Amino acid sequence: MLGFAAGMMLAASSFSLILPGIEAAQAVCGNQLLAACVVVSGLGLGVALMVGLDRFVPHEHEKSGRRGPEAKRINRVWLFVLAITLHNLPEGMAIGVSFANGDMKVGLPLTTAIAIQDIPEGLAVALALRVTGISALRAALIAVGSGLMEPLGAIVGLGISSSFALGYPIALGLAAGAMIFVVSHEVIPETHRNGHETPATLGLMLGFGVMMFLDTALG
């Protein structure tokens, strides 16, 4: 399920954020090289944002172990829940940015894809919490709560993209950079835990294909 979500995030970053970002920047700059530089700068800002959050939010990595303040005092399952909650922020930013120009061809496929991949993410959180003995209702409510970072991220993304002329393409690059960082840094290592590399990779490819289809059919 997480592999499927990772594939959709990677495809969304490529086809619904980076490519429209370059197109929007080129309309402002009138130069393809400058347009690419604008989006790349946004990618760098997105990575910097997630590196900062990675340092200050407690969570756990497969190889390097627990990270962030007070991480050693927190149950591993809750660290996983925090990691999923953390990566809902760039997804929300992507949604906010995608509608900033009022272009449904950008916003609709991206929002649809993120909504679909939120389902396996929420299931993964709820199932992980059930293992610890938490009731089904409470696990479901916490899983829903972990998605509340997305509306917050949408407001942030909309604000950045609306602040100045190049804000829209920079914000598209920022959201893409943040999502790609999260996929590589958090999601893929988690899916490869305990020797599940093959089904995780198949899930990723399926998610990537579904997002490509949505982007082509709806966009």
Side-chain angles (χ1 to χ4, degrees), residues 2 60 62 76 80 186-193:
L2 284 176
E60 184 179 41
E62 166 68 9
R76 186 182 173 277
F80 167 71
E186 303 284 353
V187 183
I188 290 178
E190 184 66 34
T191 62
H192 286 201
R193 186 184 299 276

Side-chain angles (χ1 to χ4, degrees), residues 12-25 39 172 215:
S13 299
S14 302
F15 301 111
S16 294
L17 293 174
I18 293 175
L19 293 180
I22 292 174
E23 184 179 346
V39 176
L172 285 171
D215 191 71

Side-chain angles (χ1 to χ4, degrees), residues 1-6 8-9 77-78 80-88 91 113-131 134-148 150 187:
M1 290 187 293
L2 284 176
F4 180 83
M8 296 200 78
M9 289 172 70
V77 171
W78 285 104
F80 167 71
V81 173
L82 284 170
I84 294 294
T85 303
L86 176 66
H87 97 246
N88 282 330
E91 290 177 9
I114 289 177
I116 291 172
Q117 64 93 32
D118 278 341
I119 296 172
E121 281 182 9
L123 282 170
V125 169
L127 290 172
L129 290 170
R130 285 288 286 149
V131 171
I134 291 177
S135 69
L137 177 60
R138 188 180 175 199
L141 290 175
I142 294 172
V144 170
S146 70
L148 294 180
E150 289 196 14
V187 183

Side-chain angles (χ1 to χ4, degrees), residues 83-205:
I84 294 294
T85 303
L86 176 66
H87 97 246
N88 282 330
L89 177 64
E91 290 177 9
M93 291 174 62
I95 292 172
V97 172
S98 68
F99 284 107
N101 266 14
D103 188 353
M104 295 296 288
K105 290 183 179 180
V106 176
L108 185 59
L110 178 66
T111 304
T112 303
I114 289 177
I116 291 172
Q117 64 93 32
D118 278 341
I119 296 172
E121 281 182 9
L123 282 170
V125 169
L127 290 172
L129 290 170
R130 285 288 286 149
V131 171
T132 67
I134 291 177
S135 69
L137 177 60
R138 188 180 175 199
L141 290 175
I142 294 172
V144 170
S146 70
L148 294 180
M149 285 292 285
E150 289 196 14
L152 175 62
I155 294 172
V156 173
L158 189 61
I160 294 173
S161 59
S162 304
S163 55
F164 56 102
L166 286 176
Y168 179 60
I170 289 175
L172 285 171
L174 188 153
M179 285 213 293
I180 293 170
F181 180 91
V182 164
V183 169
S184 176
H185 202 59
E186 303 284 353
V187 183
I188 290 178
E190 184 66 34
T191 62
H192 286 201
R193 186 184 299 276
N194 299 326
H196 299 306
E197 293 89 347
T198 300
T201 301
L202 292 175
L204 185 147
M205 296 304 298

